[in-house]
Amino acid sequence: MKFDEGVDVITRINECYSRMSKGKKSIATYICDHYEQAVFMTAAELGKIVGMSESTVVRFAMSLGYDGYPAFQKALSVWVSDKFGSVEKVGRKFGKSSEGEILSAILRSDISNIEHTINNIDVAAFRTAVDIILKARTVYIVGIRSCEPLADFLHFYLNIIRGNNVLIRTTSVSEMFEQMIRISDRDCIIGISFPRYSMRTLKCMEFANDRNAKVITITDSVHSPMNLYSSCNLLAKSEMASIVDSLVAPLSVINALVVALCMKKPQEVQADLKMLEEAWNNYQVYIGDEIDFASDAPMIGYPFRQDKEKS
């Protein structure tokens, strides 16, 4: 595949990933997850790490449009240098700014991301995502690295709206597959990933797609490799104004998903919230403190504790 010279090495890997052989996918995954180490490895060393031959690694480099492994390694070195140089760039951009100016700049950048998302998100895809989540037997959610808080947030509220939700948590690809072993065409998976895209999340999407599960992605653009295995893509801009990933727009999209799901089944959600409120009151989740518990005061509305004290 031919690329323009300005296309970086990680973008090339992402765009070619779906057409790679199993062996080349292993190389791609290792490089994206361990680029700090891979940049210093020879083709033979990299092949030994991933269990492939040196010639397979060389063919992998050439399949990305490079003349050979040295050219690929040089491109990876440039990408890594640029990645770690981002702190220096932030220093040049904000070095002479006051705290108030930094605050204003970052907030304006987040506002811009939300405005761009409002103007470009596919409402039909959003509507489809709501229907898929409501009809699915089990909803799997995966978000790795900086996207993990987004996955946690969505999982928390889905548990209130509906049952049978699985939050995939692990640093091992094999363990991720173990948690998804029963996924089928009756289920769906929601994958959340933004640049630098997580190959582990991408592998989950591929596995779910192979099992004919419905795949929903929350990512940043039509060029995201996450879209390779999904027909329902919710795009939210996450352009960074600093070294920190901007996840404001993606979180807003997730908020909208939660509200839309609640509106589809308001009576069930209200009943579940009522039960939760009773549980919170009975077990003093949001009132009192540890001293109150130590004082042996009866739990509000909890008859067993009251009866015990009367006996």
Side-chain angles (χ1 to χ4, degrees), residues 93-237:
K93 184 174 182 179
F94 296 113
K96 297 182 179 180
S97 301
S98 67
E99 286 80 0
E101 289 170 334
I102 293 172
L103 174 63
S104 178
I106 298 300
L107 291 180
R108 289 184 185 280
S109 176
D110 283 338
I111 289 171
S112 176
N113 284 340
I114 291 178
E115 288 177 341
H116 182 277
T117 301
I118 291 171
N119 294 327
N120 292 277
I121 195 166
D122 186 343
V123 177
F126 181 84
R127 190 181 302 117
T128 299
V130 172
D131 290 338
I132 289 173
I133 293 169
L134 286 175
K135 295 175 182 177
R137 176 187 60 179
T138 303
V139 176
Y140 295 83
I141 307 164
V142 57
I144 304 297
R145 299 169 71 90
S146 63
C147 293
E148 188 173 347
L150 294 177
D152 278 335
F153 184 87
L154 179 57
H155 179 254
F156 176 83
Y157 282 102
L158 279 187
N159 277 338
I160 295 175
I161 297 169
R162 50 155 294 149
N164 297 327
N165 305 294
V166 177
L167 178 61
I168 301 173
R169 286 185 184 276
T170 184
T171 57
S172 165
V173 175
S174 62
E175 288 180 8
M176 297 174 93
F177 291 156
E178 289 166 10
Q179 295 174 61
M180 297 171 60
I181 194 64
R182 293 181 178 85
I183 196 169
S184 72
D185 58 356
R186 298 171 60 192
D187 308 313
C188 81
I189 185 168
I190 304 171
I192 308 171
S193 189
F194 294 85
R196 187 176 53 93
Y197 306 105
S198 167
M199 280 293 174
R200 283 174 288 164
T201 301
L202 193 61
K203 281 182 174 291
C204 284
M205 302 294 98
E206 183 180 13
F207 182 79
N209 183 68
D210 289 343
R211 296 295 186 93
N212 297 315
K214 309 295 188 300
V215 180
I216 300 169
T217 61
I218 301 176
T219 189
D220 67 314
S221 79
V222 293
H223 303 295
S224 168
M226 294 286 289
N227 301 335
L228 294 171
Y229 305 106
S230 170
S231 58
C232 184
N233 307 311
L234 305 180
L235 306 182
K237 191 175 182 182

Side-chain angles (χ1 to χ4, degrees), residues 281-296:
N281 287 336
N282 287 339
Y283 290 94
Q284 295 184 320
V285 174
Y286 288 120
I287 59 176
D289 52 30
E290 292 181 357
I291 297 177
D292 290 329
F293 280 103
S295 69
D296 204 32

Side-chain angles (χ1 to χ4, degrees), residues 39-59:
V39 70
F40 298 109
M41 294 180 179
T42 65
E45 290 170 339
L46 180 55
K48 184 177 181 180
I49 287 288
V50 297
M52 298 292 154
S53 65
E54 181 179 358
S55 59
T56 300
V57 175
V58 174
R59 288 195 296 271

